């Protein structure tokens, strides 16, 4: 008490009978506020937590994380890094080239390896070329062969016009193809290609399988193949002796016959060839010492002699000089 007989203390503080005095814990408004907040939070937690179940917020994190999760994450990360290094170093490509893809290996072990490939429609391609184009080898499997991709690969070969690929389980692949028909050879800039009747380039001259085809030479000669074949037909008995045709300046043809050049006109080429056939039949002109026959003028035939024949002819035309003439 103070001098006036009044009790001095915080407003609202309880006396000894309420348990709140100077020696019994926090007192005052702050203590009351903290207690109210704690009571409210406890009530909310009890409201949202089902009976008999503790809130996950109350469970320590080491008990909420599955055991050995860290070990598993580390193992997966290490395996991913090892695989990336294996692929990046080129070792995986070498492995696939030597043994095949892992999925194909498993399929082969299960009895689904490609043991037989049946190919129909082969005319000029070799079987190994078809298999290589389709991407089929001893490492392939029937299960994991993509027939759509194999068909697209075959159609990328210019000589193949159409193709189909199907599986026959457990060990066979059937390929049916139709090849374009080669009509002639086309030489340009020293490179010889195989062309179809419409002039489309369908293959390269890689061996002698196309050696018997007609040969055209020069820019756009492939587009004039039909005209050239008509000239060969018009040549009659000389057709077998024609070795090649050169398309000159996009206007006319020069035919090569046993080392003799036959220069045809831009128009009337078949008529000019008929004149040559008659000359050969009557005079055996192509058996002379000539290297060229020029038929570009309709009223005459101009021949070019070999160097030896030209020299001999010039010598024979020399007139003897009178005696005593100074040189």
């Amino acid at each position: 008490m103070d001098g006036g007989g009044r009790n001095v203390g915080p407003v609202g503080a309880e006396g000894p009978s309420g348990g709140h005095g100077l020696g019994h814990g926090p007192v005052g408004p702050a203590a009351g506020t903290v207690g109210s907040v704690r009571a409210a939070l406890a009530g909310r937690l009890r409201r949202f937590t089902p009976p008999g179940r503790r809130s996950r917020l109350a469970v320590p994190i080491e008990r909420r994380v599955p055991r050995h999760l860290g070990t598993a994450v580390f193992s997966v990360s290490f395996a991913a890094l090892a695989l990336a290094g294996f692929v990046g170093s080129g070792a995986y490509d070498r492995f696939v080239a030597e043994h095949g893809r892992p999925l194909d290996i498993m399929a082969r072990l299960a009895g689904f390896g490609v043991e037989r490939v049946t190919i129909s429609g082969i005319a000029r391609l070799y079987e190994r070329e078809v298999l290589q184009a389709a991407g089929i080898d001893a490492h392939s499997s029937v299960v994991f062969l993509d027939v759509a991709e194999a068909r697209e690969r075959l159609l990328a070969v210019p000589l193949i016009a159409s193709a189909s690929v199907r599986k026959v389980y457990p060990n066979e692949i059937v390929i049916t193809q139709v090849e374009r028909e080669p009509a002639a050879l086309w030489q340009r800039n020293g490179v010889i290609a195989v062309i179809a009747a419409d002039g489309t380039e369908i293959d390269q001259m890689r061996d002698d399988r196309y050696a018997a085809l007609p040969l055209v030479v020069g820019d756009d000669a492939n587009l004039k193949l039909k005209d050239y074949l008509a000239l060969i037909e018009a040549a009659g008995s000389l057709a077998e002796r024609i070795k090649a045709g050169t398309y000159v300046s996009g206007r006319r043809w020069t035919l090569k016959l046993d080392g003799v050049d036959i220069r045809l006109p831009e128009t009337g080429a078949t008529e000019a060839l008929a004149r040559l056939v008659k000359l050969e039949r009557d005079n055996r002109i192509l058996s002379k010492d000539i290297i060229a026959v020029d038929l570009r003028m309709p009223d005459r035939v101009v021949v070019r002699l070999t160097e030896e024949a030209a020299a001999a002819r010039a010598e024979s035309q020399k007139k003897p000089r009178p005696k005593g003439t100074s040189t």
Side-chain angles (χ1 to χ4, degrees):
M1 290 184 182
D2 58 5
R6 292 172 294 186
N7 190 14
V8 179
V11 176
E14 297 183 1
S17 61
H20 288 163
L22 291 175
H24 298 278
V27 293
T33 303
V34 171
S36 300
V37 171
R38 287 181 176 175
L41 288 175
R44 289 178 180 271
L45 288 176
R46 284 194 300 270
R47 184 185 307 172
F48 292 106
T49 302
R53 181 176 178 183
R54 298 180 62 188
S55 173
R56 290 182 59 87
L57 295 177
V59 180
I61 189 170
E62 61 270 13
R63 296 180 58 183
R64 283 186 276 142
V65 176
R67 297 181 62 185
H68 309 299
L69 177 62
T71 303
V73 171
F74 176 78
S75 300
V76 172
S77 300
F78 181 79
L81 290 174
L83 179 61
F86 181 69
V87 174
S89 65
Y92 176 77
D93 293 335
R94 292 192 295 270
F95 175 85
V96 171
E98 184 175 353
H99 304 286
R101 299 177 301 175
L103 291 176
D104 288 326
I105 294 175
M106 291 187 291
R108 295 202 310 268
L109 292 176
F112 293 98
V114 177
E115 297 182 1
R116 182 172 61 179
V117 180
T118 303
I119 306 174
S120 61
I122 288 182
R124 291 169 180 83
L125 288 171
Y126 295 122
E127 181 178 334
R128 66 175 184 275
E129 294 175 324
V130 176
L131 293 176
Q132 182 178 5
I136 300 174
D137 56 24
H139 300 147
S140 302
S141 69
V142 175
V143 177
F144 295 107
L145 177 68
D146 189 335
V147 294
E149 179 183 356
R151 178 178 179 273
E152 291 301 319
R153 290 170 59 108
L154 288 171
L155 292 178
V157 178
L159 193 57
I160 297 179
S162 64
S164 65
V165 183
R166 62 186 179 93
K167 304 177 182 180
V168 180
Y169 284 94
N171 306 112
E172 185 179 1
I173 301 296
V174 177
I175 298 175
T176 303
Q177 66 177 40
V178 176
E179 296 182 6
R180 290 186 175 91
E181 189 67 25
L185 301 177
W186 175 35
Q187 179 176 333
R188 182 183 58 170
N189 299 326
V191 179
I192 300 178
V194 183
I195 58 176
D198 61 355
T200 302
E201 184 176 347
I202 59 177
D203 200 359
Q204 294 295 317
M205 182 68 173
R206 293 169 290 179
D207 47 45
D208 59 354
R209 78 182 90 173
Y210 303 113
L213 292 176
L215 173 63
V216 293
V217 182
D219 293 338
D220 296 331
N222 60 319
L223 303 179
K224 297 295 183 178
L225 177 61
K226 184 178 180 180
D227 296 340
Y228 175 70
L229 296 178
L231 290 176
I232 294 180
E233 185 176 355
S237 59
L238 298 179
E240 295 182 355
R241 300 174 61 178
I242 299 176
K243 306 303 180 183
T246 300
Y247 195 52
V248 182
S249 302
R251 295 183 293 109
R252 64 174 191 83
W253 289 95
T254 292
L255 306 182
K256 178 74 71 174
L257 278 73
D258 300 329
V260 180
D261 289 342
I262 308 300
R263 298 168 182 168
L264 299 176
E266 183 175 352
T267 59
T270 55
E271 292 78 5
L273 268 179
R275 292 164 53 203
L276 179 64
V277 171
K278 185 176 184 303
L279 283 172
E280 175 64 14
R281 183 177 62 247
D282 296 343
N283 302 310
R284 310 294 296 175
I285 186 175
L286 298 177
S287 300
K288 311 296 183 180
D289 291 332
I290 60 176
I291 59 175
V293 177
D294 194 336
L295 300 172
R296 288 177 291 179
M297 290 178 286
D299 57 343
R300 70 188 69 182
V301 175
V302 179
V303 298
R304 181 180 176 185
L305 302 174
T306 63
E307 292 184 4
E308 294 79 5
R313 185 172 183 276
E315 185 67 26
S316 64
Q317 290 180 344
K318 289 181 179 180
K319 296 180 180 180
R321 299 172 182 270
K323 292 183 178 180
T325 304
S326 59
T327 61

